[in-house]
Amino acid sequence: MRLYFLALGTLLIVCVGCATDGQQVLKKNEYHAPPAEMLVRPGPMVGGPGPGVMLASAEMPAGPAGPIGPGGPGYSGGPYGYPGGEYCPEGPGPYGPPAAYAAPRTSQIRFLGPEGMSVGWQIGPGFAENQLMAPDRYNFPQAATYRLKFSHIPGREGLVVYPSLHVYPTHPTTAAYLEHNALPLRITDEDLDQVETNNFVTKVIYLPDAKYQELAIAGVEELVSTRLAPGLDPVSEADRRGTIMAVLRMGNMDLEMPGSAPPAHIGQGSSQPQSVQQTSHIVQVDGEMGQFVPPVPIGGTPSVLVPGVPADVMVGGPAGPGQPPYDPIVGVSGVPMYGYPTTGTPIGLAGPPHIPLGRPAGLKSHTMRNTTDFNVGKPVDHMLIDVRHEPGISMPDPAKYIQYTEKHPVYQQGEVSMPAFGG
Amino acid sequence: MRPIVLTITALLLSATAWSPAFAQNGYYYPYSHRQATGVNGRVSALTRPAIVHAIQPVRVSLPTEGRITFYAGSPDNAQVQSTPAQPGMVPGHVYRLRISDMPEFPGVELYPTIELLDRLHPPQGLAQEFPIPIEITEEEIEIALRDQMVTKVIYLEQPDLANPIQQVGGVLTEDVRPTANLLQVADMKGRPMAILRIGGRIPDRHSATDEFYSRSPLFWNRGP
């Protein structure tokens, strides 16, 4: 009898095991891809484009493609009372679906005041003066930092401020807003008082999350460092409350002191050491003379060890000085090939492509033989160098265990409500 | 019988509710009015390709008087109309308008967008009698001028769920709480037809404007 049940159990296990795998037993027809935010990166803590995910604008044809996708080919008349409509684009046939969404690549900054204040900006080693007069607006390309110049401030003769304006890239939560709204930026008397008293002012313009909206009617909100409690970082606080769209940092540093070269970090090629600027190469641009030059982003500091404005995150956008490439393509125009580690192998070349997203690598052996005749003397087999710090180094024990868990919702058939237009 | 169309307005988009959310009935609703302009329309066109062969009349009107400019490709293809204007639009596409010359707002011009999600099915030959009504109110313009954003979802009311009242004085508009998903609310009450978004951004005189204007096809019915 015992043998009978043992045989029956074995048969059951074999049959079930052949018909299903473990996943189907637990979660039938359920497969999980990493979140899109994770897929666009090569791996944890590593930036750059990832595999298998085309950028939103990658499907767009070449040329200026804005927030509103281009239409398809022409439509030759049509039903519903439009006998050859008055406006018919060229080309035969019906329209196809609209092109894929392309995020706006500029953010419109609206300088509200003080009214009459002149706004200039850095263009390479020099500044373009008086390009705007508040109130006015300008479309700044995103994902870049600009050095502005506020001058002719009413009531503050002689005061010139050189703030930096960091324009954040479009986020899915801010795309619609940036397509339809300008970001209001007003420099108040309080801000200027703080600057004149050697204080540093940070203004963060962000779109608050719904749960942080106090009123039914809401728009962008602004956090100013001088109005926060001591110790609070306005950028972190704004990031907690919503999505940041622009950050203005303002101090009283004079970047155009006579007789001194501009600091290295305000010019292009900020990684270069400070050097003498030839005045003949500095372009003088003044808006009052009808001259207009678009701002040139600053930044691009490649290392935290070099002072200056750090480079922005890699996003698609118009290529230009100090800007990332237009829709970076892996392996093209200096963009690193996806999956290639930067860690060198013993032969000085990049190692084999790793499997992304934390899967284990399969390489177990790597052999390279050099059969060249040589006579360069015997190598040193034992080298001894004594070094010593006084006092000695004493640091806390490093972390040896981190548990990081992300949970993502999973919806199966029957749990999703689709609108009529969504099929 | 004229279809009853209601609108739902959200006075500015907020960010978080864009994230996946469950409806009250426990179902996951993947679409939101907070998604970038054009995303929902593209979904509509991709899931039902035949819809882009239709030309849907859309009636755009201002509070009292004014001009409405439609763009097809660039500012050079501007079609200036007096309010109300009724062009034919293709579902799935997004259209940028300019509203100006309004006596209540002298010197003001705004550039709202219309994202057409779906089409109506009127009796044969009567399409012009059943346009999708999009009314831009004075209050919405005032909000946009304060650097805030108005998002309005226009939907076709489901007869079983319709309020038993006669529709007079224009389209009924209902304000919802800031955290609500307008598309979800409209979908529960009927069939979402279009999304209207109004903000204060205008073309930058220093920048190229190709990014700003729509290239979607427009049709005008001038004949009988």
Side-chain angles (χ1 to χ4, degrees):
Chain A
M1 195 64 174
R2 184 179 302 172
L3 288 178
Y4 171 76
F5 282 110
L6 181 61
L8 186 62
T10 305
L11 181 64
L12 179 64
I13 291 173
V14 169
C15 292
V16 173
C18 291
T20 64
D21 55 25
Q23 190 178 32
Q24 288 177 323
V25 171
L26 298 176
K27 298 176 180 178
K28 189 177 182 181
N29 296 329
E30 183 175 308
Y31 302 96
H32 304 270
E37 287 295 324
M38 189 180 292
L39 274 176
V40 299
R41 311 283 180 189
M45 308 300 289
V46 180
V53 176
M54 297 187 70
L55 295 179
S57 55
E59 297 179 43
M60 299 293 288
I68 298 170
Y75 192 98
S76 56
Y80 309 108
Y82 290 95
E86 184 172 272
Y87 171 71
C88 280
E90 296 179 356
Y95 282 97
Y101 163 77
R105 296 190 174 92
T106 61
S107 294
Q108 187 168 92
I109 305 294
R110 189 176 174 200
F111 298 96
L112 294 173
E115 292 189 7
M117 176 183 71
S118 292
V119 179
W121 43 61
Q122 187 177 337
I123 49 169
F127 281 88
E129 313 268 358
N130 308 318
Q131 298 298 290
L132 304 174
M133 179 179 288
D136 203 346
R137 59 184 78 200
Y138 185 75
N139 288 355
F140 287 89
Q142 295 170 346
T145 304
Y146 303 90
R147 180 72 70 179
L148 306 181
K149 179 179 181 180
F150 294 160
S151 58
H152 305 301
I153 303 172
R156 297 176 188 265
E157 282 68 25
L159 176 64
V160 180
V161 185
Y162 300 87
S164 69
L165 176 66
H166 187 180
V167 182
Y168 277 55
T170 295
H171 189 272
T173 56
T174 60
Y177 185 87
L178 290 173
E179 288 166 3
H180 294 84
N181 284 75
L183 303 182
L185 179 62
R186 179 184 294 278
I187 308 301
T188 63
D189 282 339
E190 181 186 352
D191 299 333
L192 296 172
D193 289 342
Q194 294 284 353
V195 168
E196 288 191 306
T197 52
N198 300 322
N199 287 327
F200 183 63
V201 178
T202 302
K203 298 172 85 82
V204 184
I205 302 173
Y206 69 100
L207 188 63
D209 292 346
K211 60 184 177 183
Y212 291 107
Q213 289 180 7
E214 298 177 357
L215 302 172
I217 300 175
V220 295
E221 293 187 5
E222 180 183 274
L223 276 181
V224 185
S225 57
T226 53
R227 297 176 201 163
L228 291 176
L232 278 182
D233 178 13
V235 177
S236 302
E237 187 66 16
D239 193 45
R240 188 179 65 82
R241 299 183 186 182
T243 308
I244 299 175
M245 295 184 286
V247 177
L248 183 86
R249 295 178 173 88
M250 192 163 53
N252 62 356
M253 185 178 182
D254 187 356
L255 299 182
E256 291 182 303
M257 283 192 300
S260 64
H265 66 272
I266 72 165
Q268 287 180 256
S270 56
S271 59
Q272 300 298 320
Q274 186 167 346
S275 60
V276 176
Q277 295 283 337
Q278 297 184 20
T279 54
S280 60
H281 289 176
I282 298 177
V283 180
Q284 300 293 333
V285 176
D286 193 342
E288 293 182 348
M289 301 174 66
Q291 299 167 332
F292 182 83
V293 176
V296 176
I298 61 174
T301 302
S303 168
V304 295
L305 300 177
V306 179
V309 179
D312 213 302
V313 296
M314 182 187 296
V315 297
Q323 285 190 271
Y326 183 89
D327 287 345
I329 302 172
V330 293
V332 177
S333 302
V335 179
M337 180 64 75
Y338 170 75
Y340 277 15
T342 55
T343 306
T345 58
I347 58 174
L349 299 176
H354 76 280
I355 300 176
L357 305 172
R359 294 189 187 182
L363 182 65
K364 296 181 178 178
S365 174
H366 186 282
T367 305
M368 189 171 183
R369 301 171 63 180
N370 189 346
T371 59
T372 307
D373 295 332
F374 66 98
N375 182 12
V376 293
K378 290 184 178 179
V380 176
D381 55 354
H382 298 288
M383 180 72 183
L384 176 62
I385 300 177
D386 289 331
V387 298
R388 183 177 179 80
H389 277 202
E390 293 288 351
I393 299 172
S394 177
M395 298 178 64
D397 293 337
K400 60 181 179 181
Y401 174 70
I402 296 175
Q403 184 177 11
Y404 177 77
T405 304
E406 281 193 4
K407 284 190 174 182
H408 303 280
V410 177
Y411 308 108
Q412 296 182 344
Q413 190 173 6
E415 295 179 346
V416 180
S417 174
M418 303 293 285
F421 68 85
Chain B
M1 184 175 68
R2 182 176 294 272
I4 299 175
V5 180
L6 296 181
T7 59
I8 294 181
T9 312
L11 303 171
L12 179 82
L13 67 142
S14 37
T16 42
W18 179 79
S19 58
F22 275 97
Q24 292 180 350
N25 56 10
Y27 286 94
Y28 168 65
Y29 199 85
Y31 302 110
S32 170
H33 70 279
R34 297 182 183 87
Q35 285 167 309
T37 308
V39 170
N40 292 292
R42 181 173 164 80
V43 168
S44 176
L46 291 177
T47 52
R48 294 176 301 162
I51 201 172
V52 298
H53 300 289
I55 300 175
Q56 172 62 50
V58 177
R59 181 183 172 93
V60 186
S61 58
L62 300 178
T64 55
E65 296 178 356
R67 292 184 180 276
I68 306 172
T69 306
F70 297 85
Y71 298 97
S74 72
D76 300 331
N77 272 334
Q79 303 274 327
V80 183
Q81 302 285 322
S82 298
T83 182
Q86 187 169 317
M89 298 181 178
V90 178
H93 286 257
V94 179
Y95 294 84
R96 175 79 75 173
L97 323 175
R98 181 181 70 176
I99 57 175
S100 58
D101 298 330
M102 293 170 285
E104 303 91 344
F105 305 96
V108 167
E109 59 177 29
L110 293 174
Y111 291 79
T113 62
I114 296 175
E115 183 176 0
L116 201 58
L117 304 175
D118 210 338
R119 55 163 295 195
L120 298 172
H121 296 271
Q124 185 73 23
L126 296 178
Q128 292 295 328
E129 304 299 320
F130 296 93
I132 295 177
I134 295 182
E135 297 179 353
I136 301 174
T137 65
E138 196 172 331
E139 180 190 9
E140 293 162 0
I141 296 173
E142 289 174 350
I143 293 171
L145 293 178
R146 296 199 299 262
D147 290 315
Q148 295 167 338
M149 184 177 171
V150 177
T151 304
K152 180 190 281 189
V153 172
I154 297 94
Y155 68 96
L156 179 65
E157 203 172 27
Q158 184 179 344
D160 295 343
L161 303 176
N163 290 327
I165 57 175
Q166 186 176 4
Q167 183 175 339
V168 293
V171 175
L172 298 176
T173 302
E174 175 187 355
D175 292 338
V176 298
R177 65 187 190 281
T179 55
N181 180 356
L182 291 189
L183 276 180
Q184 183 178 335
V185 175
D187 193 44
M188 293 180 66
K189 297 187 174 186
R191 190 153 58 96
M193 303 300 297
I195 303 175
L196 173 73
R197 296 179 175 93
I198 311 176
R201 181 167 179 167
I202 63 176
D204 183 6
R205 56 190 170 91
H206 298 294
S207 303
T209 55
D210 285 342
E211 180 180 322
F212 195 76
Y213 297 98
S214 59
R215 303 182 186 179
S216 302
L218 276 173
F219 297 90
W220 297 97
N221 181 31
R222 293 295 178 83

